[in-house]
Amino acid sequence: MKKLIVISGLCFVIACSNNSDVVQLKADVSLLKAQNDSLQKEVDAIKPGLGDLMLDVQIHHNKLWFAGKEGNWPLAQFEHDEIIELLKQAAAIETDRKEVKLFPAMIYPELDSLQYAIKQKDTKSFEEKFSALTNACDNCHKNVNYPFNKIEIPSQPPFTDQDFSPGK
């Protein structure tokens, strides 16, 4: 609707203007298009790829495991939310990728179940739901022909400088 109003306004301006105004308006539109194209190239150059975002998800997946195992529920919730944020970012950037189209059916339900375990502060349920999330990630990779990218429950934290025990 807004575009229609803008276009109608431009048509009115063009119709009411003399020829030199029309030429200037066309030059201004051309300049704006060139600036837009230049900015789009810059955005494309700096936006992360799906692999970069999935690496970040993997780090948060790992940290989530150790936070939950230690019963650090605020950290577990934080890491859970970071994963969702990254998946949403991936979906916004990589709109045509088969991988991101699988998130709602394969990954989000497992994250929802895991969040319930976190809110309940239930370590046993957390471990079961985390295992289901990990399997969903692995199955997603298989569904998009990346079976070699196998995800497992972490055996050690990604960083040695973070204490996963609950803070007091």
Side-chain angles (χ1 to χ4, degrees), residues 109-146:
E110 302 304 337
L111 282 165
D112 290 346
S113 295
L114 186 59
Q115 183 172 33
Y116 183 76
I118 292 168
K119 287 188 183 298
Q120 297 301 309
K121 300 178 181 177
D122 183 339
T123 304
K124 182 174 175 15
S125 179
F126 172 86
E127 290 174 4
E128 291 170 2
K129 302 306 180 188
F130 187 89
S131 180
L133 171 64
T134 303
N135 290 335
C137 292
D138 200 37
N139 287 330
C140 186
H141 292 157
K142 289 176 186 173
N143 277 316
V144 294
N145 298 317
Y146 294 119

PDB file of all heavy atoms in Angstrom, residues 109-146:
ATOM      1  N   PRO A 109      10.947 -28.264  17.697  1.00  0.00           N
ATOM      2  CA  PRO A 109      10.215 -29.077  18.699  1.00  0.00           C
ATOM      3  C   PRO A 109      11.137 -29.638  19.779  1.00  0.00           C
ATOM      4  O   PRO A 109      10.758 -29.677  20.957  1.00  0.00           O
ATOM      5  CB  PRO A 109       9.589 -30.196  17.864  1.00  0.00           C
ATOM      6  CG  PRO A 109       9.473 -29.632  16.493  1.00  0.00           C
ATOM      7  CD  PRO A 109      10.674 -28.745  16.338  1.00  0.00           C
ATOM      8  N   GLU A 110      12.343 -30.033  19.389  1.00  0.00           N
ATOM      9  CA  GLU A 110      13.293 -30.569  20.373  1.00  0.00           C
ATOM     10  C   GLU A 110      13.789 -29.468  21.307  1.00  0.00           C
ATOM     11  O   GLU A 110      13.979 -29.689  22.506  1.00  0.00           O
ATOM     12  CB  GLU A 110      14.467 -31.251  19.672  1.00  0.00           C
ATOM     13  CG  GLU A 110      14.070 -32.392  18.753  1.00  0.00           C
ATOM     14  CD  GLU A 110      13.250 -33.487  19.412  1.00  0.00           C
ATOM     15  OE1 GLU A 110      13.310 -33.647  20.646  1.00  0.00           O
ATOM     16  OE2 GLU A 110      12.527 -34.189  18.683  1.00  0.00           O
ATOM     17  N   LEU A 111      13.977 -28.277  20.768  1.00  0.00           N
ATOM     18  CA  LEU A 111      14.373 -27.148  21.614  1.00  0.00           C
ATOM     19  C   LEU A 111      13.264 -26.782  22.594  1.00  0.00           C
ATOM     20  O   LEU A 111      13.531 -26.443  23.744  1.00  0.00           O
ATOM     21  CB  LEU A 111      14.753 -25.945  20.747  1.00  0.00           C
ATOM     22  CG  LEU A 111      16.131 -26.006  20.103  1.00  0.00           C
ATOM     23  CD1 LEU A 111      16.265 -24.973  18.996  1.00  0.00           C
ATOM     24  CD2 LEU A 111      17.221 -25.826  21.145  1.00  0.00           C
ATOM     25  N   ASP A 112      12.011 -26.869  22.134  1.00  0.00           N
ATOM     26  CA  ASP A 112      10.882 -26.596  23.038  1.00  0.00           C
ATOM     27  C   ASP A 112      10.838 -27.603  24.185  1.00  0.00           C
ATOM     28  O   ASP A 112      10.635 -27.224  25.346  1.00  0.00           O
ATOM     29  CB  ASP A 112       9.555 -26.631  22.270  1.00  0.00           C
ATOM     30  CG  ASP A 112       9.383 -25.459  21.317  1.00  0.00           C
ATOM     31  OD1 ASP A 112      10.145 -24.468  21.426  1.00  0.00           O
ATOM     32  OD2 ASP A 112       8.492 -25.536  20.448  1.00  0.00           O
ATOM     33  N   SER A 113      11.024 -28.871  23.865  1.00  0.00           N
ATOM     34  CA  SER A 113      11.039 -29.909  24.905  1.00  0.00           C
ATOM     35  C   SER A 113      12.197 -29.699  25.870  1.00  0.00           C
ATOM     36  O   SER A 113      12.042 -29.865  27.088  1.00  0.00           O
ATOM     37  CB  SER A 113      11.159 -31.302  24.277  1.00  0.00           C
ATOM     38  OG  SER A 113      10.029 -31.594  23.517  1.00  0.00           O
ATOM     39  N   LEU A 114      13.325 -29.334  25.336  1.00  0.00           N
ATOM     40  CA  LEU A 114      14.496 -29.091  26.170  1.00  0.00           C
ATOM     41  C   LEU A 114      14.263 -27.886  27.088  1.00  0.00           C
ATOM     42  O   LEU A 114      14.627 -27.913  28.266  1.00  0.00           O
ATOM     43  CB  LEU A 114      15.721 -28.872  25.289  1.00  0.00           C
ATOM     44  CG  LEU A 114      17.050 -28.733  26.000  1.00  0.00           C
ATOM     45  CD1 LEU A 114      17.376 -29.972  26.827  1.00  0.00           C
ATOM     46  CD2 LEU A 114      18.154 -28.475  24.987  1.00  0.00           C
ATOM     47  N   GLN A 115      13.623 -26.874  26.565  1.00  0.00           N
ATOM     48  CA  GLN A 115      13.349 -25.699  27.389  1.00  0.00           C
ATOM     49  C   GLN A 115      12.437 -26.065  28.566  1.00  0.00           C
ATOM     50  O   GLN A 115      12.626 -25.563  29.668  1.00  0.00           O
ATOM     51  CB  GLN A 115      12.719 -24.582  26.571  1.00  0.00           C
ATOM     52  CG  GLN A 115      12.497 -23.332  27.410  1.00  0.00           C
ATOM     53  CD  GLN A 115      12.066 -22.145  26.602  1.00  0.00           C
ATOM     54  OE1 GLN A 115      11.373 -22.284  25.606  1.00  0.00           O
ATOM     55  NE2 GLN A 115      12.481 -20.970  27.031  1.00  0.00           N
ATOM     56  N   TYR A 116      11.493 -26.932  28.334  1.00  0.00           N
ATOM     57  CA  TYR A 116      10.619 -27.366  29.418  1.00  0.00           C
ATOM     58  C   TYR A 116      11.442 -28.054  30.518  1.00  0.00           C
ATOM     59  O   TYR A 116      11.242 -27.798  31.706  1.00  0.00           O
ATOM     60  CB  TYR A 116       9.527 -28.309  28.886  1.00  0.00           C
ATOM     61  CG  TYR A 116       8.553 -28.720  29.943  1.00  0.00           C
ATOM     62  CD1 TYR A 116       7.570 -27.837  30.374  1.00  0.00           C
ATOM     63  CD2 TYR A 116       8.615 -29.978  30.533  1.00  0.00           C
ATOM     64  CE1 TYR A 116       6.669 -28.198  31.370  1.00  0.00           C
ATOM     65  CE2 TYR A 116       7.732 -30.351  31.530  1.00  0.00           C
ATOM     66  CZ  TYR A 116       6.755 -29.462  31.943  1.00  0.00           C
ATOM     67  OH  TYR A 116       5.878 -29.814  32.934  1.00  0.00           O
ATOM     68  N   ALA A 117      12.375 -28.902  30.141  1.00  0.00           N
ATOM     69  CA  ALA A 117      13.234 -29.574  31.126  1.00  0.00           C
ATOM     70  C   ALA A 117      14.077 -28.555  31.887  1.00  0.00           C
ATOM     71  O   ALA A 117      14.288 -28.688  33.099  1.00  0.00           O
ATOM     72  CB  ALA A 117      14.131 -30.600  30.437  1.00  0.00           C
ATOM     73  N   ILE A 118      14.545 -27.535  31.178  1.00  0.00           N
ATOM     74  CA  ILE A 118      15.336 -26.478  31.830  1.00  0.00           C
ATOM     75  C   ILE A 118      14.470 -25.739  32.840  1.00  0.00           C
ATOM     76  O   ILE A 118      14.875 -25.523  33.989  1.00  0.00           O
ATOM     77  CB  ILE A 118      15.919 -25.508  30.781  1.00  0.00           C
ATOM     78  CG1 ILE A 118      16.973 -26.214  29.930  1.00  0.00           C
ATOM     79  CG2 ILE A 118      16.505 -24.260  31.452  1.00  0.00           C
ATOM     80  CD1 ILE A 118      17.407 -25.440  28.686  1.00  0.00           C
ATOM     81  N   LYS A 119      13.272 -25.371  32.446  1.00  0.00           N
ATOM     82  CA  LYS A 119      12.378 -24.639  33.357  1.00  0.00           C
ATOM     83  C   LYS A 119      12.000 -25.488  34.573  1.00  0.00           C
ATOM     84  O   LYS A 119      11.814 -24.965  35.668  1.00  0.00           O
ATOM     85  CB  LYS A 119      11.137 -24.168  32.612  1.00  0.00           C
ATOM     86  CG  LYS A 119      11.417 -23.017  31.660  1.00  0.00           C
ATOM     87  CD  LYS A 119      10.147 -22.445  31.093  1.00  0.00           C
ATOM     88  CE  LYS A 119      10.399 -21.351  30.091  1.00  0.00           C
ATOM     89  NZ  LYS A 119      11.070 -20.186  30.582  1.00  0.00           N
ATOM     90  N   GLN A 120      11.910 -26.792  34.374  1.00  0.00           N
ATOM     91  CA  GLN A 120      11.586 -27.699  35.480  1.00  0.00           C
ATOM     92  C   GLN A 120      12.811 -28.012  36.337  1.00  0.00           C
ATOM     93  O   GLN A 120      12.690 -28.631  37.388  1.00  0.00           O
ATOM     94  CB  GLN A 120      10.975 -29.005  34.938  1.00  0.00           C
ATOM     95  CG  GLN A 120       9.661 -28.824  34.208  1.00  0.00           C
ATOM     96  CD  GLN A 120       8.606 -28.194  35.088  1.00  0.00           C
ATOM     97  OE1 GLN A 120       8.364 -28.650  36.202  1.00  0.00           O
ATOM     98  NE2 GLN A 120       7.986 -27.133  34.597  1.00  0.00           N
ATOM     99  N   LYS A 121      13.974 -27.619  35.856  1.00  0.00           N
ATOM    100  CA  LYS A 121      15.245 -27.905  36.535  1.00  0.00           C
ATOM    101  C   LYS A 121      15.397 -29.399  36.797  1.00  0.00           C
ATOM    102  O   LYS A 121      15.799 -29.842  37.861  1.00  0.00           O
ATOM    103  CB  LYS A 121      15.355 -27.093  37.826  1.00  0.00           C
ATOM    104  CG  LYS A 121      15.297 -25.611  37.576  1.00  0.00           C
ATOM    105  CD  LYS A 121      15.346 -24.820  38.856  1.00  0.00           C
ATOM    106  CE  LYS A 121      15.267 -23.333  38.492  1.00  0.00           C
ATOM    107  NZ  LYS A 121      15.246 -22.480  39.648  1.00  0.00           N
ATOM    108  N   ASP A 122      15.087 -30.150  35.750  1.00  0.00           N
ATOM    109  CA  ASP A 122      15.064 -31.610  35.819  1.00  0.00           C
ATOM    110  C   ASP A 122      16.249 -32.166  35.034  1.00  0.00           C
ATOM    111  O   ASP A 122      16.216 -32.238  33.795  1.00  0.00           O
ATOM    112  CB  ASP A 122      13.734 -32.103  35.241  1.00  0.00           C
ATOM    113  CG  ASP A 122      13.546 -33.593  35.323  1.00  0.00           C
ATOM    114  OD1 ASP A 122      14.544 -34.338  35.449  1.00  0.00           O
ATOM    115  OD2 ASP A 122      12.382 -34.022  35.235  1.00  0.00           O
ATOM    116  N   THR A 123      17.290 -32.556  35.742  1.00  0.00           N
ATOM    117  CA  THR A 123      18.521 -33.011  35.094  1.00  0.00           C
ATOM    118  C   THR A 123      18.300 -34.249  34.243  1.00  0.00           C
ATOM    119  O   THR A 123      18.802 -34.334  33.118  1.00  0.00           O
ATOM    120  CB  THR A 123      19.616 -33.272  36.154  1.00  0.00           C
ATOM    121  OG1 THR A 123      19.800 -32.082  36.918  1.00  0.00           O
ATOM    122  CG2 THR A 123      20.931 -33.654  35.503  1.00  0.00           C
ATOM    123  N   LYS A 124      17.540 -35.211  34.749  1.00  0.00           N
ATOM    124  CA  LYS A 124      17.301 -36.448  33.994  1.00  0.00           C
ATOM    125  C   LYS A 124      16.550 -36.138  32.691  1.00  0.00           C
ATOM    126  O   LYS A 124      16.934 -36.604  31.619  1.00  0.00           O
ATOM    127  CB  LYS A 124      16.528 -37.453  34.843  1.00  0.00           C
ATOM    128  CG  LYS A 124      16.287 -38.785  34.150  1.00  0.00           C
ATOM    129  CD  LYS A 124      15.641 -39.773  35.102  1.00  0.00           C
ATOM    130  CE  LYS A 124      15.235 -41.097  34.562  1.00  0.00           C
ATOM    131  NZ  LYS A 124      15.703 -41.560  33.321  1.00  0.00           N
ATOM    132  N   SER A 125      15.498 -35.339  32.800  1.00  0.00           N
ATOM    133  CA  SER A 125      14.745 -34.956  31.608  1.00  0.00           C
ATOM    134  C   SER A 125      15.622 -34.131  30.665  1.00  0.00           C
ATOM    135  O   SER A 125      15.562 -34.294  29.447  1.00  0.00           O
ATOM    136  CB  SER A 125      13.502 -34.165  31.997  1.00  0.00           C
ATOM    137  OG  SER A 125      12.788 -33.764  30.860  1.00  0.00           O
ATOM    138  N   PHE A 126      16.429 -33.246  31.238  1.00  0.00           N
ATOM    139  CA  PHE A 126      17.343 -32.438  30.421  1.00  0.00           C
ATOM    140  C   PHE A 126      18.242 -33.347  29.589  1.00  0.00           C
ATOM    141  O   PHE A 126      18.408 -33.125  28.388  1.00  0.00           O
ATOM    142  CB  PHE A 126      18.198 -31.523  31.309  1.00  0.00           C
ATOM    143  CG  PHE A 126      19.271 -30.817  30.541  1.00  0.00           C
ATOM    144  CD1 PHE A 126      19.006 -29.627  29.891  1.00  0.00           C
ATOM    145  CD2 PHE A 126      20.553 -31.354  30.444  1.00  0.00           C
ATOM    146  CE1 PHE A 126      19.994 -28.982  29.152  1.00  0.00           C
ATOM    147  CE2 PHE A 126      21.553 -30.723  29.721  1.00  0.00           C
ATOM    148  CZ  PHE A 126      21.268 -29.536  29.075  1.00  0.00           C
ATOM    149  N   GLU A 127      18.819 -34.351  30.209  1.00  0.00           N
ATOM    150  CA  GLU A 127      19.719 -35.251  29.492  1.00  0.00           C
ATOM    151  C   GLU A 127      18.991 -35.963  28.356  1.00  0.00           C
ATOM    152  O   GLU A 127      19.526 -36.090  27.244  1.00  0.00           O
ATOM    153  CB  GLU A 127      20.335 -36.256  30.454  1.00  0.00           C
ATOM    154  CG  GLU A 127      21.318 -35.635  31.415  1.00  0.00           C
ATOM    155  CD  GLU A 127      21.837 -36.595  32.482  1.00  0.00           C
ATOM    156  OE1 GLU A 127      21.487 -37.797  32.448  1.00  0.00           O
ATOM    157  OE2 GLU A 127      22.599 -36.138  33.355  1.00  0.00           O
ATOM    158  N   GLU A 128      17.764 -36.406  28.605  1.00  0.00           N
ATOM    159  CA  GLU A 128      16.979 -37.088  27.568  1.00  0.00           C
ATOM    160  C   GLU A 128      16.636 -36.133  26.425  1.00  0.00           C
ATOM    161  O   GLU A 128      16.773 -36.486  25.243  1.00  0.00           O
ATOM    162  CB  GLU A 128      15.687 -37.644  28.177  1.00  0.00           C
ATOM    163  CG  GLU A 128      15.895 -38.785  29.138  1.00  0.00           C
ATOM    164  CD  GLU A 128      14.628 -39.152  29.905  1.00  0.00           C
ATOM    165  OE1 GLU A 128      13.558 -38.542  29.665  1.00  0.00           O
ATOM    166  OE2 GLU A 128      14.717 -40.045  30.769  1.00  0.00           O
ATOM    167  N   LYS A 129      16.206 -34.932  26.780  1.00  0.00           N
ATOM    168  CA  LYS A 129      15.800 -33.961  25.754  1.00  0.00           C
ATOM    169  C   LYS A 129      17.010 -33.435  24.987  1.00  0.00           C
ATOM    170  O   LYS A 129      16.929 -33.166  23.787  1.00  0.00           O
ATOM    171  CB  LYS A 129      15.023 -32.795  26.377  1.00  0.00           C
ATOM    172  CG  LYS A 129      13.783 -33.213  27.144  1.00  0.00           C
ATOM    173  CD  LYS A 129      12.848 -34.066  26.327  1.00  0.00           C
ATOM    174  CE  LYS A 129      11.627 -34.450  27.145  1.00  0.00           C
ATOM    175  NZ  LYS A 129      10.782 -35.422  26.483  1.00  0.00           N
ATOM    176  N   PHE A 130      18.126 -33.296  25.668  1.00  0.00           N
ATOM    177  CA  PHE A 130      19.342 -32.861  24.992  1.00  0.00           C
ATOM    178  C   PHE A 130      19.786 -33.931  23.987  1.00  0.00           C
ATOM    179  O   PHE A 130      20.202 -33.606  22.863  1.00  0.00           O
ATOM    180  CB  PHE A 130      20.468 -32.574  25.988  1.00  0.00           C
ATOM    181  CG  PHE A 130      21.674 -31.963  25.344  1.00  0.00           C
ATOM    182  CD1 PHE A 130      21.786 -30.589  25.223  1.00  0.00           C
ATOM    183  CD2 PHE A 130      22.699 -32.760  24.844  1.00  0.00           C
ATOM    184  CE1 PHE A 130      22.897 -30.016  24.612  1.00  0.00           C
ATOM    185  CE2 PHE A 130      23.804 -32.202  24.239  1.00  0.00           C
ATOM    186  CZ  PHE A 130      23.904 -30.825  24.115  1.00  0.00           C
ATOM    187  N   SER A 131      19.679 -35.185  24.383  1.00  0.00           N
ATOM    188  CA  SER A 131      20.013 -36.286  23.481  1.00  0.00           C
ATOM    189  C   SER A 131      19.104 -36.257  22.249  1.00  0.00           C
ATOM    190  O   SER A 131      19.571 -36.442  21.113  1.00  0.00           O
ATOM    191  CB  SER A 131      19.889 -37.617  24.210  1.00  0.00           C
ATOM    192  OG  SER A 131      20.203 -38.680  23.350  1.00  0.00           O
ATOM    193  N   ALA A 132      17.820 -35.972  22.467  1.00  0.00           N
ATOM    194  CA  ALA A 132      16.878 -35.886  21.340  1.00  0.00           C
ATOM    195  C   ALA A 132      17.234 -34.713  20.429  1.00  0.00           C
ATOM    196  O   ALA A 132      17.161 -34.830  19.196  1.00  0.00           O
ATOM    197  CB  ALA A 132      15.449 -35.753  21.863  1.00  0.00           C
ATOM    198  N   LEU A 133      17.618 -33.584  21.018  1.00  0.00           N
ATOM    199  CA  LEU A 133      18.038 -32.432  20.208  1.00  0.00           C
ATOM    200  C   LEU A 133      19.284 -32.789  19.391  1.00  0.00           C
ATOM    201  O   LEU A 133      19.354 -32.495  18.202  1.00  0.00           O
ATOM    202  CB  LEU A 133      18.331 -31.224  21.095  1.00  0.00           C
ATOM    203  CG  LEU A 133      18.973 -30.027  20.387  1.00  0.00           C
ATOM    204  CD1 LEU A 133      18.042 -29.448  19.329  1.00  0.00           C
ATOM    205  CD2 LEU A 133      19.378 -28.962  21.400  1.00  0.00           C
ATOM    206  N   THR A 134      20.237 -33.421  20.021  1.00  0.00           N
ATOM    207  CA  THR A 134      21.468 -33.807  19.351  1.00  0.00           C
ATOM    208  C   THR A 134      21.169 -34.746  18.180  1.00  0.00           C
ATOM    209  O   THR A 134      21.706 -34.582  17.087  1.00  0.00           O
ATOM    210  CB  THR A 134      22.439 -34.463  20.352  1.00  0.00           C
ATOM    211  OG1 THR A 134      22.672 -33.536  21.421  1.00  0.00           O
ATOM    212  CG2 THR A 134      23.753 -34.841  19.708  1.00  0.00           C
ATOM    213  N   ASN A 135      20.289 -35.704  18.403  1.00  0.00           N
ATOM    214  CA  ASN A 135      19.882 -36.623  17.329  1.00  0.00           C
ATOM    215  C   ASN A 135      19.171 -35.876  16.201  1.00  0.00           C
ATOM    216  O   ASN A 135      19.358 -36.193  15.026  1.00  0.00           O
ATOM    217  CB  ASN A 135      19.007 -37.736  17.875  1.00  0.00           C
ATOM    218  CG  ASN A 135      19.778 -38.701  18.733  1.00  0.00           C
ATOM    219  OD1 ASN A 135      20.993 -38.853  18.592  1.00  0.00           O
ATOM    220  ND2 ASN A 135      19.092 -39.354  19.659  1.00  0.00           N
ATOM    221  N   ALA A 136      18.349 -34.882  16.570  1.00  0.00           N
ATOM    222  CA  ALA A 136      17.645 -34.099  15.551  1.00  0.00           C
ATOM    223  C   ALA A 136      18.637 -33.324  14.683  1.00  0.00           C
ATOM    224  O   ALA A 136      18.483 -33.251  13.461  1.00  0.00           O
ATOM    225  CB  ALA A 136      16.648 -33.149  16.204  1.00  0.00           C
ATOM    226  N   CYS A 137      19.664 -32.765  15.326  1.00  0.00           N
ATOM    227  CA  CYS A 137      20.704 -32.056  14.563  1.00  0.00           C
ATOM    228  C   CYS A 137      21.393 -33.026  13.597  1.00  0.00           C
ATOM    229  O   CYS A 137      21.582 -32.717  12.421  1.00  0.00           O
ATOM    230  CB  CYS A 137      21.730 -31.433  15.505  1.00  0.00           C
ATOM    231  SG  CYS A 137      21.105 -30.085  16.518  1.00  0.00           S
ATOM    232  N   ASP A 138      21.744 -34.176  14.113  1.00  0.00           N
ATOM    233  CA  ASP A 138      22.406 -35.187  13.302  1.00  0.00           C
ATOM    234  C   ASP A 138      21.502 -35.639  12.145  1.00  0.00           C
ATOM    235  O   ASP A 138      21.949 -35.756  11.003  1.00  0.00           O
ATOM    236  CB  ASP A 138      22.785 -36.367  14.195  1.00  0.00           C
ATOM    237  CG  ASP A 138      23.872 -37.221  13.595  1.00  0.00           C
ATOM    238  OD1 ASP A 138      24.786 -36.675  12.965  1.00  0.00           O
ATOM    239  OD2 ASP A 138      23.784 -38.449  13.765  1.00  0.00           O
ATOM    240  N   ASN A 139      20.224 -35.856  12.425  1.00  0.00           N
ATOM    241  CA  ASN A 139      19.277 -36.269  11.381  1.00  0.00           C
ATOM    242  C   ASN A 139      19.055 -35.168  10.347  1.00  0.00           C
ATOM    243  O   ASN A 139      18.875 -35.451   9.163  1.00  0.00           O
ATOM    244  CB  ASN A 139      17.949 -36.705  11.995  1.00  0.00           C
ATOM    245  CG  ASN A 139      18.067 -38.042  12.684  1.00  0.00           C
ATOM    246  OD1 ASN A 139      18.869 -38.890  12.296  1.00  0.00           O
ATOM    247  ND2 ASN A 139      17.276 -38.241  13.728  1.00  0.00           N
ATOM    248  N   CYS A 140      19.060 -33.937  10.805  1.00  0.00           N
ATOM    249  CA  CYS A 140      18.934 -32.816   9.870  1.00  0.00           C
ATOM    250  C   CYS A 140      20.105 -32.835   8.892  1.00  0.00           C
ATOM    251  O   CYS A 140      19.914 -32.695   7.678  1.00  0.00           O
ATOM    252  CB  CYS A 140      18.875 -31.492  10.631  1.00  0.00           C
ATOM    253  SG  CYS A 140      18.553 -30.055   9.578  1.00  0.00           S
ATOM    254  N   HIS A 141      21.298 -33.048   9.412  1.00  0.00           N
ATOM    255  CA  HIS A 141      22.473 -33.124   8.537  1.00  0.00           C
ATOM    256  C   HIS A 141      22.338 -34.263   7.529  1.00  0.00           C
ATOM    257  O   HIS A 141      22.680 -34.101   6.357  1.00  0.00           O
ATOM    258  CB  HIS A 141      23.747 -33.315   9.359  1.00  0.00           C
ATOM    259  CG  HIS A 141      24.089 -32.120  10.185  1.00  0.00           C
ATOM    260  ND1 HIS A 141      24.865 -32.199  11.310  1.00  0.00           N
ATOM    261  CD2 HIS A 141      23.753 -30.809  10.068  1.00  0.00           C
ATOM    262  CE1 HIS A 141      24.999 -30.988  11.840  1.00  0.00           C
ATOM    263  NE2 HIS A 141      24.321 -30.131  11.099  1.00  0.00           N
ATOM    264  N   LYS A 142      21.825 -35.383   7.985  1.00  0.00           N
ATOM    265  CA  LYS A 142      21.631 -36.518   7.062  1.00  0.00           C
ATOM    266  C   LYS A 142      20.612 -36.168   5.982  1.00  0.00           C
ATOM    267  O   LYS A 142      20.791 -36.533   4.814  1.00  0.00           O
ATOM    268  CB  LYS A 142      21.166 -37.750   7.842  1.00  0.00           C
ATOM    269  CG  LYS A 142      22.245 -38.353   8.718  1.00  0.00           C
ATOM    270  CD  LYS A 142      21.704 -39.505   9.538  1.00  0.00           C
ATOM    271  CE  LYS A 142      22.747 -40.018  10.517  1.00  0.00           C
ATOM    272  NZ  LYS A 142      22.200 -41.013  11.441  1.00  0.00           N
ATOM    273  N   ASN A 143      19.534 -35.468   6.360  1.00  0.00           N
ATOM    274  CA  ASN A 143      18.475 -35.121   5.403  1.00  0.00           C
ATOM    275  C   ASN A 143      18.925 -34.147   4.326  1.00  0.00           C
ATOM    276  O   ASN A 143      18.296 -34.058   3.278  1.00  0.00           O
ATOM    277  CB  ASN A 143      17.264 -34.539   6.136  1.00  0.00           C
ATOM    278  CG  ASN A 143      16.361 -35.616   6.678  1.00  0.00           C
ATOM    279  OD1 ASN A 143      16.070 -36.584   5.991  1.00  0.00           O
ATOM    280  ND2 ASN A 143      15.923 -35.451   7.911  1.00  0.00           N
ATOM    281  N   VAL A 144      19.977 -33.397   4.594  1.00  0.00           N
ATOM    282  CA  VAL A 144      20.460 -32.438   3.600  1.00  0.00           C
ATOM    283  C   VAL A 144      21.797 -32.882   3.000  1.00  0.00           C
ATOM    284  O   VAL A 144      22.557 -32.077   2.481  1.00  0.00           O
ATOM    285  CB  VAL A 144      20.546 -31.004   4.184  1.00  0.00           C
ATOM    286  CG1 VAL A 144      19.156 -30.484   4.525  1.00  0.00           C
ATOM    287  CG2 VAL A 144      21.463 -30.942   5.386  1.00  0.00           C
ATOM    288  N   ASN A 145      22.033 -34.182   3.092  1.00  0.00           N
ATOM    289  CA  ASN A 145      23.208 -34.808   2.473  1.00  0.00           C
ATOM    290  C   ASN A 145      24.544 -34.384   3.075  1.00  0.00           C
ATOM    291  O   ASN A 145      25.548 -34.267   2.368  1.00  0.00           O
ATOM    292  CB  ASN A 145      23.203 -34.591   0.951  1.00  0.00           C
ATOM    293  CG  ASN A 145      21.999 -35.232   0.314  1.00  0.00           C
ATOM    294  OD1 ASN A 145      21.618 -36.347   0.650  1.00  0.00           O
ATOM    295  ND2 ASN A 145      21.356 -34.510  -0.592  1.00  0.00           N
ATOM    296  N   TYR A 146      24.548 -34.169   4.406  1.00  0.00           N
ATOM    297  CA  TYR A 146      25.787 -33.918   5.131  1.00  0.00           C
ATOM    298  C   TYR A 146      25.942 -34.940   6.253  1.00  0.00           C
ATOM    299  O   TYR A 146      26.201 -34.582   7.400  1.00  0.00           O
ATOM    300  CB  TYR A 146      25.813 -32.503   5.726  1.00  0.00           C
ATOM    301  CG  TYR A 146      25.844 -31.403   4.687  1.00  0.00           C
ATOM    302  CD1 TYR A 146      24.821 -30.468   4.602  1.00  0.00           C
ATOM    303  CD2 TYR A 146      26.909 -31.300   3.795  1.00  0.00           C
ATOM    304  CE1 TYR A 146      24.854 -29.467   3.655  1.00  0.00           C
ATOM    305  CE2 TYR A 146      26.943 -30.297   2.846  1.00  0.00           C
ATOM    306  CZ  TYR A 146      25.912 -29.378   2.781  1.00  0.00           C
ATOM    307  OH  TYR A 146      25.946 -28.388   1.842  1.00  0.00           O
TER     308      TYR A 146
END
